[in-house]
Amino acid sequence: MNADHAAQLRLLDLQGADTTLAQLAHRRATLPELAALAENQRATDALTNDIVDSETALGDIADEQRRLENEVDVVRTRAARDDQRLQTGGLPAKELESLQHEITSLARRQGVLEDDLLEVMEQLEQSENVLRELRARRSVLDAERVQLTQVRDDAFTEIDRAAALKTSERSLIAQNIPADLLALYEKAREHSGGVGAAMLRARRCEGCRIELSGSELSAVRTAAPDEVVRCENCRRILVRTAESGL
């Protein structure tokens, strides 16, 4: 293929624009805030599960506390009724003995229930403290996520603005390159990791960084200025300049 040498030189400008666009895309995809946000989300999800578990446990303990309080109230009410009957007097000896025995049993039962209630209340306080700490940690994560999102979005805005300007610049460059040369460049770029054209500098291809052998160098040296030459090693378009060392 033949193309005006000036058009071949413009390939280097086009490649420069494409390289910058690729760098911007890579920067956008690898912002440290993206990894930090992903880690924040993992931590938040795990913490949310812990909070749900803690709330469930707290609810169970609160239910147990209410149950014990109700039982204590029942025992106290019955003990008070029995005591009232005892104070009234006039009961047969056998019934009086039975009533005194029940009052003693109720007092013992109340003591056990109150001990259990005290233990449950302590568990409730501990669970409330744990839940409070978990919620505080989630608040910190929420605030961190808001900050990271803002930094990410600001970076996205900056990168997208730069990419838009560079894309516009690339379009202007591409308009001044013959269609067949542009098509060859795009094909080479597709098969060469995003680099379709490279400068020949000091007898070395700047695309693959390999110095041309004697026969390759001779072929490039004898090629007409408008002949489009390609690196035999990487198949990129070789653009000759004053720095080529021919």
Side-chain angles (χ1 to χ4, degrees), residues 151-208:
V151 174
R152 179 205 63 188
D153 290 347
D154 289 345
F156 277 174
T157 298
E158 176 191 348
I159 292 170
D160 292 346
R161 184 184 298 116
L165 290 173
K166 188 58 65 173
T167 298
S168 178
E169 177 185 324
R170 183 194 191 280
S171 296
L172 292 176
I173 297 171
Q175 288 175 7
N176 294 306
I177 297 175
D180 55 349
L181 180 60
L182 183 60
L184 179 63
Y185 164 81
E186 295 290 5
K187 183 177 181 180
R189 192 164 74 94
E190 180 182 350
H191 292 88
S192 302
V195 179
M199 181 189 297
L200 177 63
R201 176 181 283 128
R203 305 180 181 183
R204 185 179 66 174
C205 171
E206 289 293 285
C208 60

Side-chain angles (χ1 to χ4, degrees), residues 47-88:
L47 196 54
T48 298
N49 290 335
D50 290 343
I51 288 174
V52 170
D53 291 342
S54 181
E55 289 173 339
T56 300
L58 188 62
D60 292 342
I61 295 172
D63 289 343
E64 179 65 8
Q65 178 180 342
R66 284 189 292 270
R67 185 189 69 78
L68 288 171
E69 287 173 342
N70 290 335
E71 286 198 35
V72 169
D73 288 342
V74 169
V75 170
R76 283 175 176 170
T77 300
R78 184 162 181 175
R81 186 175 67 245
D82 288 351
D83 187 64
Q84 181 68 29
R85 290 179 62 198
L86 185 64
Q87 296 300 325
T88 300

Side-chain angles (χ1 to χ4, degrees), residues 99-158:
L99 188 60
Q100 289 174 332
H101 177 72
E102 182 174 306
I103 290 174
T104 301
S105 296
L106 288 172
R108 187 163 50 248
R109 174 62 177 161
Q110 180 177 332
V112 172
L113 287 172
E114 287 177 343
D115 287 344
D116 290 345
L117 180 58
L118 181 60
E119 182 179 343
V120 167
M121 290 174 68
E122 291 175 351
Q123 291 175 2
L124 186 67
E125 182 179 1
Q126 292 173 358
S127 293
E128 287 174 340
N129 290 337
V130 169
L131 182 58
R132 190 178 300 111
E133 180 183 347
L134 290 173
R135 286 173 173 168
R137 286 166 55 192
R138 186 169 65 181
S139 295
V140 172
L141 287 174
D142 289 343
E144 179 187 73
R145 183 168 60 256
V146 170
Q147 182 179 11
L148 287 170
T149 299
Q150 184 61 57
V151 174
R152 179 205 63 188
D153 290 347
D154 289 345
F156 277 174
T157 298
E158 176 191 348

